[in-house]
């Protein structure tokens, strides 16, 4: 193994782990907000919103 790459590997692994933790916390935060939302206020989005969002998600 090349000198220095094990430090780089440890750093990358640490960042991956931290990112996973942050994503999980974000999911939990969103779930808590959805629980607070009145079910009558939840509806399907308009196609004028969904279309451009899906198109932009390609990039």
């Amino acid at each position: 193994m090349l000198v220095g790459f094990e430090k780089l590997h440890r750093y990358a692994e640490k960042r991956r782990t931290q990112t996973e933790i942050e994503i999980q916390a974000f999911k939990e935060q969103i779930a808590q907000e959805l629980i607070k939302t009145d079910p009558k206020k939840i509806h399907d989005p308009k196609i004028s919103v969904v279309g451009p969002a899906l198109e932009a998600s390609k990039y």
Side-chain angles (χ1 to χ4, degrees):
M1 184 173 234
L2 296 173
V3 175
F5 276 97
E6 50 193 53
K7 286 184 181 179
L8 180 62
H9 177 70
R10 273 187 263 139
Y11 174 77
E13 190 62 34
K14 184 178 177 182
R15 287 297 304 144
R16 266 192 293 276
T17 302
Q18 185 62 35
T19 300
E20 289 176 16
I21 291 169
E22 290 170 0
I23 289 171
Q24 188 61 34
F26 180 69
K27 287 179 180 181
E28 290 173 12
Q29 180 184 6
I30 295 295
Q32 290 301 316
E33 290 297 320
L34 284 175
I35 290 170
K36 295 178 191 176
T37 304
D38 181 12
K40 293 176 184 175
K41 292 185 177 182
I42 298 175
H43 54 82
D44 292 334
K46 295 179 182 178
I47 192 69
S48 62
V49 174
V50 174
L54 288 175
E55 194 64 30
S57 70
K58 292 180 185 177
Y59 311 103

